[in-house]
Amino acid sequence: MSDNNKTAVSTLNIGGMTCASCSAAVERALKKRPGVISANVNLASETARVEYVPAEISEAGLKEAVIKTGYQVLDKEEAAPEIKEAREEEELRDLRIKVIFSIVASSVIMASSFHGVSMPVSHRVLDFILFALATPVQFWAGQRFYKGAWGTLSHGSANMDVLIATGTSTAYFYSAVITFFPGVFAGFGSAVYYDTSAMIITLILLGKFLEARSKGKASEAVKRLMKLSPRTARVVRDGQEMEILAEDVMPGDVVIVRPGEKVPVDGAVISGFSSLDESMLTGESLPVEKGEGETVFGGTLNLTGSFKFKAERVGKDTVLAGIIKLVEEAQGAKAPIQRLADKVAAYFVPSVIVVAFVAFGVWLAAGEGFTFALLAFIAVLIIACPCAMGLATPTAIMVGTGRAAEKGIIFRGGDVLERFAKADTIVLDKTGTVTEGRPRVMALKELGDGGEDFLALAASVENYSEHPVALAVTEKAREENLVISPASGFEALPGYGARARIGDEDVLIGNARLMAENGVDTAQFTHAGALYAQEGYTSIFVARDKKPAGIIAIADGVKEGSVEGIRRLKELGLEVIMLTGDTELAARAVARKVGVENVIWGVLPDRKEKVISELQAKGRIVAMVGDGINDAPALARADIGIAVGTGTDAAIEASDIMLIKPELTRAAEALEISRKTLRTIKQNLFWAFFYNTVGIPMAAGVLYPSFGILLKPVMAAAAMALSSVSVVSNSLRLRKA
């Protein structure tokens, strides 16, 4: 390949994008530039990834294309997470102020506009007061709609901003002309419509504010993941132990990890033995024993012993860094959903404007006079004012999400409701979602002369350990009101279990290897242990004075509501799939208990994300439910990511829906609300367009030659208001969902 054909990839940080039409405008502007091969604009992370030919266009040329579209290109400092967060908070404060002002001003305008209400001033003076109130609502509070309209129109398309700006401007300027030149429309009434323009802007601004306040950002999920990595690492260089920044660890360095510390990078253990909490990676609650030659991963937590390992993958090559990259890429691959109203608006707005001008020209040519023709023109635009169309989606979403919140379900944006309603497949992470996410004692079996108090003996030993299994044993003993006795000579045996002396007895608790190495006959343990293994349980053996005493079966219990939730999800027509990093026996055991036929086990984070991608490649619309950091890439890749409220912050931030009450029954309720809301939105849009379809011809004067009926602006406004009432009333029915 010659130098002239070499390609490069550049990532630009974009500022000023507020909606899907903004990102689409930037993307189109970049793609139009000669030398640009592809452009993908990510609204969530506010970035543009551009592949281009440097011989044909420079990075400066790419930035110029963005700037000419009306947006900013931010440098690295401006795009820093903390600066970006502060900027978003400032924008939200500004929107809050505008919403509050608009509500107050619009309420006064509405109250003052009712006919028959006695006012202390003349109608002429009142019109000037209403003009003074409506003007800042129109041009200060509503300026974002003008900017959005101009942005889309300048690129040859039209969206809701165009409809809002066109409709409110028509009502406003018509009213302004009557206010300052009352004789212009003599004989056709002198009503003003400031209430129409102001209230449209107020209601839609309120919806924008509520959406902005609840919207989750991709950068938040990435920041949560980044916090898992320790800032420093303890390494051995030139025979000296020293503490350095984790980012300065090099492949080949010998790293020392002590109890309670996080592993800084990926590598292989060269000496020592310990238990590590890898739940951030695998999602499994039980700790993993690590010995010489075994792999440890950056970001995992060392629980018990000290060990040394040789660094192998550092920086961007660690498993944790890979998870962060997967989250970023998966979120970048999500295409914003184009709402039905926006799609229709692309044809609706030009059509309405054409009809208005045609009506004006026809009546002017017919000799009806300029005023008559102008009134027909204005009536067409007023009846086509997108109040109902603008309210159709936001009101349904506001009521639907409000009802969901009452049930402990949080949707991050209205488009999530639409996407979830169309889902046909739901993937469930096992640990922490279907199950409780912590080890519990599931069964007890007395052996030989162990006696009924063997659990008390075991708890007396485990009471000195902070191992998750030890906590499960002591918790069970306390539930049974057993006496936990003081122990002497306690010794934790990493990779084996523990031992101690209770009274005059030596007590061992741990795995079969511990028993065999201490001369305990394991024959009695073997059969029962195998049966428990088939149920997906981990067997913990107890011996007293080298004689088998009993078996404690440990497992992650099924969470309350899982069976009912999965049943309801199936009844709603979803295919339910369970994913887990656990073993086949444990996975199948849980699947049987909860009624899941399709289960995939031994799945690591990158594979979870791939499973989602494979399902999507088959045409499936996939929802994913998870709670761990290991689920974040899959949650981001899924069409709808659902996080349970007890999950990690990273999983919650990467999701589209959060279940405050961590029960799968809530996921089923979320789907029911989504489907009802989408159905309501479609009904609303039908009625909104129906009014326009019938009203626009009447406003244009189609019935005037035969019946002498001309829909004056005041009647057009009334029809528009009626369509709004029907839309809002229909949406309010969702409160009973």
Side-chain angles (χ1 to χ4, degrees):
M1 180 183 290
S2 67
D3 289 344
N4 289 338
N5 293 325
K6 283 185 177 179
T7 63
V9 176
S10 182
T11 300
L12 307 177
N13 295 297
I14 313 297
M17 296 190 299
T18 59
C19 63
S21 62
C22 298
S23 58
V26 174
E27 196 167 289
R28 283 195 301 270
L30 286 167
K31 288 179 177 179
K32 286 181 181 178
R33 288 292 174 117
V36 173
I37 298 172
S38 66
N40 181 21
V41 178
N42 184 351
L43 180 62
S45 62
E46 295 183 312
T47 59
R49 185 181 183 278
V50 188
E51 184 180 1
Y52 62 101
V53 180
E56 297 182 36
I57 187 171
S58 64
E59 188 170 299
L62 300 176
K63 293 179 179 179
E64 181 186 10
V66 175
I67 293 169
K68 283 190 174 181
T69 312
Y71 303 94
Q72 304 91 45
V73 178
L74 308 178
D75 57 33
K76 289 184 179 179
E77 290 184 3
E78 293 173 321
E82 58 273 12
I83 301 299
K84 180 180 177 183
E85 186 175 352
R87 187 168 60 249
E88 289 171 351
E89 289 178 356
E90 183 179 349
E91 290 172 356
L92 194 60
R93 283 194 299 270
D94 177 67
L95 186 54
R96 183 186 292 110
I97 292 170
K98 289 179 177 178
V99 167
I100 293 172
F101 173 82
S102 298
I103 289 173
V104 173
S106 298
S107 298
V108 174
I109 293 171
M110 289 290 290
S112 303
S113 298
F114 284 115
H115 295 288
V117 177
S118 178
M119 301 297 292
V121 296
S122 67
H123 283 293
R124 184 97 170 94
V125 173
L126 179 60
D127 286 351
F128 280 102
I129 294 173
L130 297 180
F131 171 80
L133 288 171
T135 299
V137 175
Q138 186 75 31
F139 298 108
W140 175 63
Q143 63 179 321
R144 64 187 292 139
F145 303 122
Y146 286 97
K147 289 181 179 179
W150 173 251
T152 55
L153 286 173
S154 63
H155 289 86
S157 62
N159 67 350
M160 287 301 298
D161 286 338
V162 173
L163 295 174
I164 295 164
T166 302
T168 59
S169 295
T170 301
Y172 172 83
F173 284 114
Y174 172 75
S175 302
V177 170
I178 288 179
T179 300
F180 288 93
F181 309 102
V184 171
F185 301 119
F188 289 91
S190 58
V192 294
Y193 306 107
Y194 293 120
D195 54 340
T196 299
S197 62
M199 192 52 68
I200 291 172
I201 288 176
T202 299
L203 291 172
I204 297 175
L205 268 183
L206 178 60
K208 292 285 185 183
F209 171 73
L210 294 174
E211 184 176 353
R213 191 173 62 173
S214 63
K215 184 180 178 183
K217 295 291 184 180
S219 60
E220 288 297 319
V222 175
K223 283 191 292 184
R224 304 283 187 186
L225 290 168
M226 288 179 174
K227 288 180 181 178
L228 285 173
S229 296
R231 292 182 57 82
T232 61
R234 190 175 289 105
V235 301
V236 178
R237 289 181 178 174
D238 300 325
Q240 299 292 321
E241 185 178 319
M242 62 182 68
E243 190 171 281
I244 63 173
L245 292 174
E247 61 192 44
D248 293 332
V249 176
M250 303 291 292
D253 276 340
V254 174
V255 184
I256 301 172
V257 183
R258 295 172 179 170
E261 294 181 343
K262 287 185 177 181
V263 179
V265 296
D266 298 356
V269 177
I270 56 177
S271 66
F273 196 96
S274 186
S275 296
L276 273 71
D277 179 359
E278 293 188 344
S279 58
M280 54 74 59
L281 178 64
T282 65
E284 301 310 316
S285 55
L286 294 175
V288 179
E289 311 291 350
K290 297 286 184 179
E292 187 174 339
E294 294 186 288
T295 302
V296 293
F297 302 98
T300 56
L301 179 63
N302 183 30
L303 298 173
T304 53
S306 297
F307 64 92
K308 294 180 181 179
F309 74 94
K310 183 178 181 180
E312 295 178 342
R313 293 182 297 276
V314 302
K316 295 181 179 180
D317 296 326
T318 66
V319 171
L320 179 59
I323 291 175
I324 294 172
K325 183 180 179 182
L326 282 172
V327 172
E328 292 175 325
E329 290 180 350
Q331 290 187 327
K334 283 185 176 179
I337 297 234
Q338 183 78 35
R339 288 201 174 97
L340 178 60
D342 285 335
K343 291 179 179 179
V344 175
Y347 304 96
F348 181 75
V349 176
S351 301
V352 168
I353 293 173
V354 168
V355 171
F357 275 107
V358 168
F360 177 81
V362 168
W363 292 119
L364 196 63
E368 292 294 337
F370 178 82
T371 300
F372 185 96
L374 184 61
L375 282 177
F377 174 81
I378 293 172
V380 169
L381 290 177
I382 286 182
I383 201 165
C385 184
C387 188
M389 207 180 307
L391 292 172
T393 300
T395 54
I397 287 172
M398 287 172 64
V399 178
T401 53
R403 179 57 177 156
E406 293 175 0
K407 296 187 175 186
I409 303 162
I410 305 300
F411 289 91
R412 297 184 184 275
D415 61 329
V416 177
L417 284 144
E418 299 180 42
R419 293 203 309 271
F420 194 24
K422 300 173 183 176
D424 53 32
T425 304
I426 189 163
V427 177
L428 310 176
D429 174 58
K430 179 179 77 68
T431 305
T433 303
V434 177
T435 63
E436 293 179 338
R438 63 186 181 92
R440 292 184 59 185
V441 174
M442 308 302 292
L444 298 167
K445 184 174 181 59
E446 178 189 340
L447 294 176
D449 298 325
E452 295 180 357
D453 64 341
F454 84 90
L455 175 60
L457 284 175
S460 298
V461 176
E462 297 287 36
N463 195 39
Y464 291 83
S465 172
E466 294 183 357
H467 194 286
V469 169
L471 296 177
V473 172
T474 55
E475 180 183 2
K476 180 65 174 178
R478 291 190 177 97
E479 288 177 1
E480 300 289 335
N481 295 316
L482 300 178
V483 176
I484 298 178
S485 306
S488 60
F490 172 80
E491 183 182 1
L493 305 169
Y496 292 86
R499 72 191 313 159
R501 191 165 182 81
I502 311 297
D504 59 355
E505 292 182 306
D506 287 320
V507 180
L508 283 174
I509 178 169
N511 56 28
R513 187 169 56 174
L514 174 65
M515 300 296 150
E517 291 185 6
N518 283 271
V520 180
D521 183 4
T522 60
Q524 294 185 60
F525 293 133
T526 304
H527 179 67
L531 293 176
Y532 285 141
Q534 291 179 4
E535 294 295 322
Y537 300 161
T538 298
S539 293
I540 306 298
F541 305 131
V542 182
R544 59 199 307 173
D545 290 334
K546 297 188 178 183
K547 294 181 180 179
I551 299 177
I552 302 173
I554 302 288
D556 187 4
V558 172
K559 185 180 290 185
E560 182 181 355
S562 291
V563 175
E564 172 67 12
I566 289 170
R567 182 188 64 79
R568 289 178 61 182
L569 288 168
K570 287 181 175 180
E571 289 177 351
L572 289 167
L574 295 186
E575 179 181 355
V576 180
I577 300 172
M578 189 176 78
L579 294 184
T580 180
D582 214 335
T583 63
E584 179 180 358
L585 283 174
R588 288 194 179 279
V590 173
R592 283 195 302 271
K593 292 176 183 177
V594 298
V596 174
E597 292 78 26
N598 196 341
V599 57
I600 306 173
W601 58 87
V603 184
L604 288 177
D606 59 339
R607 178 57 186 162
K608 286 187 179 182
E609 188 266 347
K610 287 179 182 176
V611 169
I612 301 296
S613 297
E614 289 166 1
L615 289 168
Q616 290 171 328
K618 296 177 182 178
R620 303 287 187 86
I621 300 175
V622 184
M624 165 76 184
V625 187
D627 77 317
I629 288 171
N630 63 295
D631 301 322
L635 289 172
R637 174 66 67 184
D639 296 286
I640 310 94
I642 306 172
V644 295
T646 53
T648 63
D649 290 338
I652 291 170
E653 293 295 341
S655 66
D656 300 301
I657 302 172
M658 184 177 72
L659 308 179
I660 295 176
K661 296 180 180 179
E663 300 173 0
L664 286 179
T665 51
R666 304 295 174 181
E669 290 174 349
L671 179 58
E672 290 172 341
I673 291 173
S674 294
R675 289 181 175 176
K676 289 178 181 178
T677 302
L678 182 60
R679 185 163 59 247
T680 300
I681 289 172
K682 290 180 178 179
Q683 292 169 350
N684 287 348
L685 290 173
F686 168 80
W687 285 110
F689 292 128
F690 174 78
Y691 278 106
N692 281 310
T693 301
V694 174
I696 288 175
M698 292 178 64
V702 171
L703 300 180
Y704 186 76
S706 301
F707 304 98
I709 298 174
L710 178 66
L711 193 64
K712 295 182 180 180
V714 64
M715 296 302 297
M720 182 272 297
L722 180 60
S723 68
S724 301
V725 170
S726 67
V727 162
V728 174
S729 299
N730 192 43
S731 296
L732 290 175
R733 293 190 304 115
L734 287 169
R735 290 188 297 182
K736 298 179 181 179

